[in-house]
Every structure is written in C-alpha cells, then in structure tokens.
Amino acid sequence: MRQRLLKLVPRLPGFVVPTLAASALWAVWLGWDQHRDVHPDGATTGPYQAWQVIGLVLTLPAPVYWAASRGHIAGAVLGTTAGLTAAAFVDWSDDPSGLYAVGAGMVMVGSLVATTSVSAVIASAKRHGAGAAARE
C-alpha cells in the first residue's frame, strides 16, 4: 500500500496544478462579474461579456499544455475539467431557478471535450517531435 502511494505522489501535481489553475483562471476572467446588464427594452444579458469568455478560453491551454507535455494526459483533462466545473458550480449556485446545475454540466462536458482534444494534439506533437529528434 505504501509503495502505491509513493508511486502516486509524483503524478499528483499533474492533476492538482491544472485543477487549481483552471479554478484561478475562472476567478480572474469570470468570477468578479456578477451583475446582469439591463437594456432599455427590458431585456437582460450577462453577466459575462464575450471578451471575458474569450480570455478564459485563450488562457486555459497553458495549464493543459503544462500537464500534457509532462505526460500527465489524464491530469490535464480531468484536472482542468474538475477545476472549471467546480468553479462554475460555486459561481452559479446562487441562481434561484436551479438551472445552474445544467450550466455546470454543460461546462463539464464542453471542457472535457476541449481538453481531451488539446491534450491529444499536444501528446501527438510531443511524440512526433521526439521521433524526429531521434532520427537526426
């Protein structure tokens, strides 16, 4: 049992770093904006602006790359997904309609698909890069 735990310890940062980074990036880009915009016709939008979501999407590949390039593919995918899902759930949990759980589920599925795709591309690039370096 002790040997198994010792083997797990080096892999732990591969999951923890993307989880914490994804949660922190959510807080930086989306966590501070909590008000909805009311338009003159009474329609409401928000609370996020497009630039905030785009900023989150453009900065999330950094922790995914960090973990995936070190061989922690599962940590890159599951850690980032867990961090974003938890952040969305906490951020939206005060919604009285109860639809926040549906939104958090959509964040989970979307981030799972996106991080899986990005991690696969990174792993493939690393594999092809290592193969090209070995042939030279």
Side-chain angles (χ1 to χ4, degrees), residues 19-95:
T19 302
L20 295 177
S23 296
L25 287 171
W26 180 283
V28 166
W29 288 106
L30 305 177
W32 54 272
D33 194 357
Q34 300 297 317
H35 73 279
R36 295 192 175 274
D37 299 322
V38 179
H39 300 284
D41 64 354
T44 59
T45 58
Y48 313 123
Q49 301 297 321
W51 65 267
Q52 292 172 283
V53 177
I54 291 168
L56 176 64
V57 169
L58 291 177
T59 54
L60 273 173
V64 173
Y65 176 81
W66 180 88
S69 66
R70 286 161 176 74
H72 303 292
I73 304 298
V77 172
L78 299 176
T80 305
T81 300
L84 287 177
T85 304
F89 193 85
V90 168
D91 192 19
W92 299 339
S93 64
D94 61 348
D95 178 26

Side-chain angles (χ1 to χ4, degrees), residues 110-124:
S111 61
L112 187 63
V113 169
T115 55
T116 300
S117 302
V118 170
S119 295
V121 168
I122 292 167
S124 177

